[in-house]
């Protein structure tokens, strides 16, 4: 990509990249398109929250980037979470949550879409031991699960995790911010990959 515009360079610098060969970013770089500035600002807003710690923001970003299979964002949020105190076990749990929820979201979305009683009676046979005693705590694991379920579009899982969080005493602002971050990580991954 020749003639990298200043805003594009700033965005690439956030990820420690000097050049990025992908069509989406190349198309946006062709003009002084305003969205690149918005994208940069939105990305920065995933790193802090009034209702989540910086480590939690990083772990949500890591989980969503893993779910979305975006290596650049996985590295970025991994580093950010570590910089803010995430342990190896917490990092592994964020990655594991993305994998587990990928299967759960498909499975429960299928049950929801078909609305057949028979499918609710057949055992899922999906191992979910990680949900029993999460390293990050039950509340935060539910928050991760909700964020991934929202990205994956599983209405049944979103409702179940949101309900569980409310019962655990989580504020709606904290829930909202986790989903906001998940949406912005996903949006960033459409241009940075």
């Amino acid at each position: 990509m020749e003639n990298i515009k200043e805003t594009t360079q700033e965005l690439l610098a956030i990820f420690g990249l000097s050049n990025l060969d992908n069509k989406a970013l190349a198309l946006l770089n062709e003009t002084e398109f305003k969205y690149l500035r918005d994208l940069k600002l939105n990305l920065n807003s995933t790193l802090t929250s009034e209702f989540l710690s910086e480590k939690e923001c990083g772990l949500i970003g890591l989980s969503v980037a893993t779910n979305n299979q975006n290596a650049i964002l996985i590295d970025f949020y991994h580093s950010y979470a570590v910089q803010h105190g995430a342990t190896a076990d917490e990092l592994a749990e964020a990655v594991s949550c993305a994998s587990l929820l990928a299967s759960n979201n498909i499975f429960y979305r299928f049950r929801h879409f078909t609305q057949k009683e028979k499918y609710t009676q057949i055992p899922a046979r999906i191992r979910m031991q990680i949900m029993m005693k999460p390293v990050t705590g039950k509340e935060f694991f539910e928050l991760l699960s909700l964020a991934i379920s929202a990205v994956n579009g599983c209405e049944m899982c979103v409702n179940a995790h949101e309900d569980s969080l409310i019962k655990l005493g989580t504020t709606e602002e904290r829930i909202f911010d986790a989903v906001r971050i998940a949406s912005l990580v996903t949006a960033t991954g459409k241009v940075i990959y």
Side-chain angles (χ1 to χ4, degrees), residues 33-193:
F33 201 71
K34 296 175 195 170
Y35 184 67
L36 284 177
R37 180 169 153 62
D38 289 346
L39 187 66
K40 187 178 89 170
L41 293 171
N42 287 339
L43 169 68
N44 285 331
S45 81
T46 69
L47 305 177
T48 59
S49 164
E50 186 179 337
F51 308 101
L52 300 161
S53 71
E54 290 169 318
K55 177 174 84 171
E56 289 172 329
C57 291
L59 290 171
I60 291 168
L62 174 61
S63 193
V64 173
T66 300
N67 180 73
N68 297 345
Q69 301 177 9
N70 187 306
I72 293 170
L73 294 181
I74 289 170
D75 289 344
F76 176 76
Y77 286 105
H78 174 270
S79 295
Y80 187 81
V82 167
Q83 179 186 351
H84 290 91
T87 67
D89 285 346
E90 290 170 330
L91 297 165
E93 191 165 272
V95 170
S96 299
C97 182
S99 177
L100 173 61
L101 269 292
S103 66
N104 284 0
N105 293 158
I106 292 168
F107 182 78
Y108 289 103
R109 205 167 45 227
F110 165 77
R111 278 186 171 175
H112 178 74
F113 288 163
T114 60
Q115 297 183 6
K116 289 187 176 179
E117 183 64 30
K118 178 68 175 177
Y119 295 132
T120 63
Q121 297 169 359
I122 301 171
R125 296 184 59 202
I126 299 172
R127 293 280 298 172
M128 297 184 241
Q129 287 300 111
I130 192 170
M131 288 183 152
M132 302 309 290
K133 280 190 161 181
V135 175
T136 57
K138 180 71 173 156
E139 189 269 352
F140 188 71
F141 194 85
E142 285 288 333
L143 208 55
L144 283 176
S145 299
L146 172 65
I148 297 299
S149 296
V151 170
N152 292 340
C154 182
E155 179 182 358
M156 180 180 258
C157 293
V158 165
N159 288 331
H161 292 297
E162 195 268 350
D163 182 61
S164 181
L165 284 161
I166 294 297
K167 288 177 180 169
L168 288 169
T170 306
T171 65
E172 290 171 330
E173 290 82 5
R174 185 168 161 82
I175 292 167
F176 187 86
D177 238 16
V179 174
R180 178 189 63 79
I181 289 169
S183 73
L184 294 174
V185 171
T186 299
T188 303
K190 302 299 182 188
V191 177
I192 302 297
Y193 54 87

Side-chain angles (χ1 to χ4, degrees), residues 1 4-13 25 28-31 36:
M1 192 169 19
I4 300 175
K5 304 278 194 291
E6 184 178 347
T7 305
T8 306
Q9 288 175 355
E10 291 169 358
L11 189 58
L12 290 173
L25 188 58
L28 292 174
N29 184 67
E30 286 179 10
T31 67
L36 284 177

